PDB file of all heavy atoms in Angstrom:
ATOM      1  N   ALA A 270      -1.435  37.893 -24.959  1.00  0.00           N
ATOM      2  CA  ALA A 270      -0.748  38.255 -26.211  1.00  0.00           C
ATOM      3  C   ALA A 270      -1.764  38.615 -27.295  1.00  0.00           C
ATOM      4  O   ALA A 270      -1.579  39.585 -28.033  1.00  0.00           O
ATOM      5  CB  ALA A 270       0.137  37.109 -26.683  1.00  0.00           C
ATOM      6  N   MET A 271      -2.841  37.844 -27.376  1.00  0.00           N
ATOM      7  CA  MET A 271      -3.876  38.118 -28.381  1.00  0.00           C
ATOM      8  C   MET A 271      -4.530  39.473 -28.124  1.00  0.00           C
ATOM      9  O   MET A 271      -4.679  40.282 -29.039  1.00  0.00           O
ATOM     10  CB  MET A 271      -4.924  37.008 -28.353  1.00  0.00           C
ATOM     11  CG  MET A 271      -6.061  37.235 -29.338  1.00  0.00           C
ATOM     12  SD  MET A 271      -7.432  36.104 -29.123  1.00  0.00           S
ATOM     13  CE  MET A 271      -8.027  36.514 -27.486  1.00  0.00           C
ATOM     14  N   LEU A 272      -4.917  39.740 -26.889  1.00  0.00           N
ATOM     15  CA  LEU A 272      -5.547  41.019 -26.548  1.00  0.00           C
ATOM     16  C   LEU A 272      -4.584  42.183 -26.802  1.00  0.00           C
ATOM     17  O   LEU A 272      -4.993  43.237 -27.304  1.00  0.00           O
ATOM     18  CB  LEU A 272      -6.014  41.007 -25.090  1.00  0.00           C
ATOM     19  CG  LEU A 272      -7.183  40.071 -24.765  1.00  0.00           C
ATOM     20  CD1 LEU A 272      -7.364  39.949 -23.263  1.00  0.00           C
ATOM     21  CD2 LEU A 272      -8.463  40.537 -25.428  1.00  0.00           C
ATOM     22  N   ALA A 273      -3.316  41.992 -26.477  1.00  0.00           N
ATOM     23  CA  ALA A 273      -2.310  43.044 -26.680  1.00  0.00           C
ATOM     24  C   ALA A 273      -2.148  43.363 -28.167  1.00  0.00           C
ATOM     25  O   ALA A 273      -2.028  44.534 -28.539  1.00  0.00           O
ATOM     26  CB  ALA A 273      -0.979  42.637 -26.070  1.00  0.00           C
ATOM     27  N   GLN A 274      -2.138  42.350 -29.011  1.00  0.00           N
ATOM     28  CA  GLN A 274      -1.992  42.576 -30.459  1.00  0.00           C
ATOM     29  C   GLN A 274      -3.165  43.401 -30.986  1.00  0.00           C
ATOM     30  O   GLN A 274      -2.968  44.322 -31.782  1.00  0.00           O
ATOM     31  CB  GLN A 274      -1.910  41.244 -31.208  1.00  0.00           C
ATOM     32  CG  GLN A 274      -0.620  40.486 -30.993  1.00  0.00           C
ATOM     33  CD  GLN A 274       0.555  41.154 -31.671  1.00  0.00           C
ATOM     34  OE1 GLN A 274       1.303  41.920 -31.051  1.00  0.00           O
ATOM     35  NE2 GLN A 274       0.751  40.866 -32.934  1.00  0.00           N
ATOM     36  N   ALA A 275      -4.367  43.061 -30.556  1.00  0.00           N
ATOM     37  CA  ALA A 275      -5.546  43.801 -31.013  1.00  0.00           C
ATOM     38  C   ALA A 275      -5.498  45.246 -30.514  1.00  0.00           C
ATOM     39  O   ALA A 275      -5.742  46.189 -31.277  1.00  0.00           O
ATOM     40  CB  ALA A 275      -6.829  43.119 -30.538  1.00  0.00           C
ATOM     41  N   GLU A 276      -5.164  45.419 -29.254  1.00  0.00           N
ATOM     42  CA  GLU A 276      -5.066  46.770 -28.704  1.00  0.00           C
ATOM     43  C   GLU A 276      -3.990  47.571 -29.429  1.00  0.00           C
ATOM     44  O   GLU A 276      -4.195  48.741 -29.771  1.00  0.00           O
ATOM     45  CB  GLU A 276      -4.766  46.721 -27.206  1.00  0.00           C
ATOM     46  CG  GLU A 276      -4.714  48.106 -26.585  1.00  0.00           C
ATOM     47  CD  GLU A 276      -4.425  48.066 -25.088  1.00  0.00           C
ATOM     48  OE1 GLU A 276      -3.917  47.043 -24.583  1.00  0.00           O
ATOM     49  OE2 GLU A 276      -4.719  49.081 -24.436  1.00  0.00           O
ATOM     50  N   ASP A 277      -2.846  46.945 -29.682  1.00  0.00           N
ATOM     51  CA  ASP A 277      -1.766  47.627 -30.400  1.00  0.00           C
ATOM     52  C   ASP A 277      -2.222  48.097 -31.778  1.00  0.00           C
ATOM     53  O   ASP A 277      -1.833  49.168 -32.230  1.00  0.00           O
ATOM     54  CB  ASP A 277      -0.544  46.715 -30.542  1.00  0.00           C
ATOM     55  CG  ASP A 277       0.194  46.498 -29.236  1.00  0.00           C
ATOM     56  OD1 ASP A 277      -0.109  47.194 -28.237  1.00  0.00           O
ATOM     57  OD2 ASP A 277       1.076  45.616 -29.209  1.00  0.00           O
ATOM     58  N   PHE A 278      -3.054  47.287 -32.453  1.00  0.00           N
ATOM     59  CA  PHE A 278      -3.573  47.691 -33.763  1.00  0.00           C
ATOM     60  C   PHE A 278      -4.368  48.986 -33.645  1.00  0.00           C
ATOM     61  O   PHE A 278      -4.129  49.943 -34.388  1.00  0.00           O
ATOM     62  CB  PHE A 278      -4.453  46.591 -34.378  1.00  0.00           C
ATOM     63  CG  PHE A 278      -5.218  47.073 -35.581  1.00  0.00           C
ATOM     64  CD1 PHE A 278      -4.576  47.246 -36.797  1.00  0.00           C
ATOM     65  CD2 PHE A 278      -6.562  47.386 -35.494  1.00  0.00           C
ATOM     66  CE1 PHE A 278      -5.263  47.727 -37.907  1.00  0.00           C
ATOM     67  CE2 PHE A 278      -7.264  47.864 -36.586  1.00  0.00           C
ATOM     68  CZ  PHE A 278      -6.609  48.027 -37.803  1.00  0.00           C
ATOM     69  N   PHE A 279      -5.324  49.032 -32.713  1.00  0.00           N
ATOM     70  CA  PHE A 279      -6.172  50.221 -32.584  1.00  0.00           C
ATOM     71  C   PHE A 279      -5.390  51.433 -32.089  1.00  0.00           C
ATOM     72  O   PHE A 279      -5.647  52.559 -32.520  1.00  0.00           O
ATOM     73  CB  PHE A 279      -7.374  49.925 -31.677  1.00  0.00           C
ATOM     74  CG  PHE A 279      -8.351  48.980 -32.303  1.00  0.00           C
ATOM     75  CD1 PHE A 279      -8.507  47.696 -31.804  1.00  0.00           C
ATOM     76  CD2 PHE A 279      -9.116  49.349 -33.401  1.00  0.00           C
ATOM     77  CE1 PHE A 279      -9.405  46.808 -32.384  1.00  0.00           C
ATOM     78  CE2 PHE A 279     -10.010  48.479 -33.994  1.00  0.00           C
ATOM     79  CZ  PHE A 279     -10.155  47.201 -33.481  1.00  0.00           C
ATOM     80  N   VAL A 280      -4.413  51.221 -31.213  1.00  0.00           N
ATOM     81  CA  VAL A 280      -3.562  52.324 -30.750  1.00  0.00           C
ATOM     82  C   VAL A 280      -2.737  52.872 -31.920  1.00  0.00           C
ATOM     83  O   VAL A 280      -2.636  54.090 -32.101  1.00  0.00           O
ATOM     84  CB  VAL A 280      -2.651  51.879 -29.577  1.00  0.00           C
ATOM     85  CG1 VAL A 280      -1.579  52.909 -29.291  1.00  0.00           C
ATOM     86  CG2 VAL A 280      -3.487  51.612 -28.328  1.00  0.00           C
ATOM     87  N   ALA A 281      -2.151  51.982 -32.711  1.00  0.00           N
ATOM     88  CA  ALA A 281      -1.358  52.422 -33.867  1.00  0.00           C
ATOM     89  C   ALA A 281      -2.222  53.197 -34.852  1.00  0.00           C
ATOM     90  O   ALA A 281      -1.800  54.232 -35.382  1.00  0.00           O
ATOM     91  CB  ALA A 281      -0.711  51.215 -34.552  1.00  0.00           C
ATOM     92  N   LEU A 282      -3.430  52.712 -35.080  1.00  0.00           N
ATOM     93  CA  LEU A 282      -4.357  53.403 -35.987  1.00  0.00           C
ATOM     94  C   LEU A 282      -4.683  54.793 -35.448  1.00  0.00           C
ATOM     95  O   LEU A 282      -4.647  55.782 -36.193  1.00  0.00           O
ATOM     96  CB  LEU A 282      -5.622  52.562 -36.143  1.00  0.00           C
ATOM     97  CG  LEU A 282      -6.602  52.946 -37.223  1.00  0.00           C
ATOM     98  CD1 LEU A 282      -5.951  52.914 -38.599  1.00  0.00           C
ATOM     99  CD2 LEU A 282      -7.809  52.008 -37.193  1.00  0.00           C
ATOM    100  N   LYS A 283      -4.958  54.871 -34.161  1.00  0.00           N
ATOM    101  CA  LYS A 283      -5.280  56.154 -33.515  1.00  0.00           C
ATOM    102  C   LYS A 283      -4.129  57.149 -33.639  1.00  0.00           C
ATOM    103  O   LYS A 283      -4.340  58.336 -33.889  1.00  0.00           O
ATOM    104  CB  LYS A 283      -5.607  55.903 -32.045  1.00  0.00           C
ATOM    105  CG  LYS A 283      -5.835  57.146 -31.225  1.00  0.00           C
ATOM    106  CD  LYS A 283      -6.032  56.782 -29.764  1.00  0.00           C
ATOM    107  CE  LYS A 283      -5.619  57.944 -28.918  1.00  0.00           C
ATOM    108  NZ  LYS A 283      -5.234  57.580 -27.584  1.00  0.00           N
ATOM    109  N   LYS A 284      -2.905  56.665 -33.486  1.00  0.00           N
ATOM    110  CA  LYS A 284      -1.734  57.540 -33.518  1.00  0.00           C
ATOM    111  C   LYS A 284      -1.202  57.797 -34.925  1.00  0.00           C
ATOM    112  O   LYS A 284      -0.205  58.493 -35.093  1.00  0.00           O
ATOM    113  CB  LYS A 284      -0.616  56.944 -32.658  1.00  0.00           C
ATOM    114  CG  LYS A 284      -0.955  56.940 -31.177  1.00  0.00           C
ATOM    115  CD  LYS A 284       0.187  56.387 -30.357  1.00  0.00           C
ATOM    116  CE  LYS A 284      -0.131  56.514 -28.876  1.00  0.00           C
ATOM    117  NZ  LYS A 284       0.968  56.020 -28.041  1.00  0.00           N
ATOM    118  N   GLY A 285      -1.874  57.223 -35.934  1.00  0.00           N
ATOM    119  CA  GLY A 285      -1.416  57.428 -37.308  1.00  0.00           C
ATOM    120  C   GLY A 285      -0.162  56.638 -37.642  1.00  0.00           C
ATOM    121  O   GLY A 285       0.532  56.940 -38.601  1.00  0.00           O
TER     122      GLY A 285
END
Side-chain angles (χ1 to χ4, degrees):
M271 178 190 64
L272 291 169
Q274 289 289 96
E276 182 180 19
D277 288 350
F278 169 76
F279 291 111
V280 168
L282 191 59
K283 175 185 154 204
K284 293 182 175 181

